[in-house]
């Protein structure tokens, strides 16, 4: 079994010192009441810290009630929610892991609200995924006024300030998967004729600036983007790199590189789903921005994840569903290596090579 050379190496960005390169990416749990974290979230996140993940990113946590993709999603629009996170943050720290939180607004993909908003009123989200029947279907959004855009930027800032107060080590802004920031920078969902339409990156840049203003300067800001849209008429990777460059200039320290979420996936506009299927996106964004990047997407084979790190395409690897299935993903990967080291002498690589003449 190939030695993992990179997964277990430390990585530092600003004052965030990670013990290894494994990231648990944000994954909605739909278990909150009134946006407040509870015992489920505590067990869920702390068990991944026990399993050794270097960085845990708490799921999409929303800046307003109408920014949730279900009424059971987490929020940070009040102090009770903030205080609920402190216990989780402290327990993750006690295990030697670092913890960030993904701050978001769903925009036109919100469910369970009668006030669905977006950059433009451009029809209900199609998506190809059935909305959960408990929370109603996707609705046509109404266009945010300029005053409401300013209020939304303020809501992002207030949520980030609360996350800092709760003790998080880093902030991630959700600019991916067809949610509000993505809706503003995507030409097919931003049909505005004001300054937010003329400069499609303006809203995201304002959110980044607002976040930075309430973060300690040495705390890293991560921004997750879809570097390529996967639906018909979606933007391409070159445009995704432009988004990343704008957000890097606005203050992002790390780009968390995902894809899609904009619409019903179209085979002609997306990669084939296989191991490491989005690594090429991370590689391109890293080259375009010069910033550290996180790669994600079917990296659950530790050897593949290690290879991606070694190739230089990404600085950190996120393992989502793999960590849902196995909180001890990294520990088990290490255990399998040790077990391989202890294999009978007949199986060691040298004997193998001789036996098969390679
Ligand atoms: C149950 C579930 C919930 C998710 N929720 C979020 C989320 O809150 N925010 C986000 O940016 N991505 C979310 N994702 C996407 C993951 O972060 C990740 O990018 C995706 O699962 C691909 O990685 P994987 O192949 O390692 O699972 C979710 C994925 C799953 C499976």
């Amino acid at each position: 079994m190939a030695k993992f050379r990179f997964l277990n190496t430390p990585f530092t960005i600003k004052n965030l010192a990670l013990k290894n390169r494994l990231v648990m990416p944000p994954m909605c749990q739909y278990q909150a009441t009134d946006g407040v974290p509870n015992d489920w979230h505590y067990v869920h996140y702390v068990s991944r810290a026990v399993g050794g993940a270097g960085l845990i990113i708490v799921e999409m946590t929303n800046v307003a009630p109408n920014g949730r993709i279900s009424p059971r999603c987490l929020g940070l629009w009040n102090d009770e929610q903030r205080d609920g996170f402190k216990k989780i943050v402290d327990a993750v720290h006690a295990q030697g892991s670092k913890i960030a939180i993904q701050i978001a607004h769903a925009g036109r993909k919100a469910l369970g609200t009668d006030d669905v908003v977006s950059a433009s009123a451009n029809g209900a989200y199609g998506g190809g995924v059935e909305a959960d029947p408990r929370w109603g279907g996707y609705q046509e959004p109404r266009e945010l006024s300029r005053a409401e855009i300013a209020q939304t930027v303020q809501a992002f800032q207030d949520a980030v300030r609360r996350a800092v107060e709760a003790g998080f080590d880093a902030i991630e802004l959700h600019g991916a998967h067809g949610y509000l920031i993505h809706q503003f920078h995507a030409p097919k969902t931003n049909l505005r004729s004001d300054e937010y339409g003329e400069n499609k990156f303006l809203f995201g840049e304002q959110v980044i600036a607002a976040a930075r203003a309430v973060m300690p300067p040495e705390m890293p800001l991560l921004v997750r983007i879809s570097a390529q849209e996967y639906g018909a008429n979606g933007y391409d990777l070159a445009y995704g790199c432009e988004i990343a460059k704008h957000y890097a200039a606005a203050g992002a320290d790390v780009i968390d590189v995902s894809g899609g979420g904009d619409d019903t996936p179209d085979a002609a506009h997306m990669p084939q789903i296989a191991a490491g299927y989005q690594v090429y996106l991370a590689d391109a964004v890293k080259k375009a921005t010069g910033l550290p990047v996180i790669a994600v997407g079917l990296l659950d084979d530790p050897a593949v994840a290690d290879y991606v790190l070694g190739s230089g395409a990404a600085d950190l690897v996120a393992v989502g569903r793999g960590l849902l299935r196995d909180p001890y993903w990294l520990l088990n990967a290490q255990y399998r290596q040790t077990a391989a080291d202890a294999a009978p002498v007949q199986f060691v690589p040298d004997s193998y090579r001789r036996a098969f003449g390679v």
Side-chain angles (χ1 to χ4, degrees):
M1 177 176 243
K3 283 276 176 221
F4 303 145
R5 293 186 190 285
F6 306 99
L7 264 173
N8 265 322
T9 56
F11 183 75
T12 298
I13 169 88
K14 288 192 162 174
N15 68 359
L16 180 71
L18 304 176
K19 63 183 174 183
N20 59 51
R21 307 292 179 114
L22 175 64
V23 177
M24 177 185 187
M27 287 179 286
C28 288
Q29 297 296 295
Y30 312 105
Q31 296 302 317
T33 303
D34 298 329
V36 181
N38 55 38
D39 284 354
W40 173 265
H41 303 95
Y42 181 86
V43 171
H44 175 67
Y45 292 112
V46 177
S47 51
R48 273 69 194 185
V50 173
L55 177 65
I56 289 167
I57 307 178
V58 168
E59 70 204 69
M60 180 172 183
T61 298
N62 304 287
V63 304
N66 73 340
R68 292 175 292 181
I69 60 171
S70 87
R72 306 216 50 196
C73 290
L74 289 171
L76 253 182
W77 62 83
N78 66 42
D79 291 351
E80 183 194 358
Q81 295 160 342
R82 173 198 64 192
D83 294 344
F85 283 110
K86 288 181 177 165
K87 193 173 123 181
I88 298 173
V89 168
D90 290 347
V92 166
H93 285 162
Q95 298 302 321
S97 298
K98 297 293 162 69
I99 182 164
I101 184 166
Q102 188 184 52
I103 306 293
H105 190 300
R108 69 197 285 261
K109 289 175 82 171
L111 288 171
T113 172
D114 290 332
D115 188 25
V116 179
V117 298
S118 185
S120 302
N122 63 326
Y125 173 68
V129 182
E130 282 296 306
D132 189 312
R134 284 175 294 174
W135 303 320
Y138 293 111
Q139 298 173 43
E140 165 141 14
R142 64 177 183 83
E143 179 173 305
L144 284 166
S145 70
R146 292 164 79 243
E148 287 173 322
I149 291 175
Q151 287 162 11
T152 307
V153 172
Q154 183 64 53
F156 268 97
Q157 184 177 62
D158 292 343
V160 170
R161 179 179 44 76
R162 289 193 183 94
V164 173
E165 289 166 359
F168 283 99
D169 301 293
I171 302 295
E172 176 167 290
L173 294 172
H174 200 346
H177 302 168
Y179 296 117
L180 188 62
I181 294 175
H182 183 156
Q183 289 158 34
F184 269 89
H185 64 224
K188 71 180 174 184
T189 43
N190 181 347
L191 312 175
R192 302 177 73 96
S193 51
D194 62 7
E195 67 267 40
Y196 291 97
E198 278 161 25
N199 175 4
K200 305 242 178 322
F201 312 111
L202 181 59
F203 177 70
E205 289 167 347
Q206 289 182 342
V207 171
I208 289 169
R212 278 250 74 103
V214 293
M215 292 168 62
E218 281 306 300
M219 178 184 283
L221 177 65
L222 289 60
V223 178
R224 192 169 225 202
I225 62 165
S226 291
Q228 183 182 320
E229 290 191 320
Y230 293 165
N233 306 315
Y235 60 71
D236 60 12
L237 175 56
Y239 187 82
C241 289
E242 284 307 304
I243 297 168
K245 283 198 268 186
H246 275 86
Y247 294 168
D253 299 301
V254 176
I255 309 289
D256 184 356
V257 187
S258 189
D262 48 301
D263 216 332
T264 308
D266 177 346
H269 292 266
M270 61 180 297
Q272 297 214 21
I273 308 294
Y277 67 100
Q278 294 183 138
V279 171
Y280 74 103
L281 301 175
D283 187 33
V285 168
K286 184 173 169 63
K287 290 191 174 105
T289 60
L291 288 185
V293 295
I294 305 175
V296 70
L298 289 183
L299 295 171
D300 12 357
D301 180 335
V304 173
D306 198 63
Y307 166 76
V308 168
L309 291 167
S311 76
D315 301 273
L316 298 164
V317 285
V319 175
R321 289 162 289 182
L323 274 169
L324 289 185
R325 289 191 298 274
D326 179 8
Y328 303 135
W329 183 92
L330 186 62
L331 297 181
N332 281 324
Q334 287 159 346
Y335 172 76
R336 283 196 298 274
Q337 279 221 318
T338 319
D341 288 345
V345 67
Q346 290 84 351
F347 294 174
V348 300
D350 229 41
S351 316
Y352 240 137
R353 264 198 295 279
R354 267 182 280 146
F356 292 93
V358 291

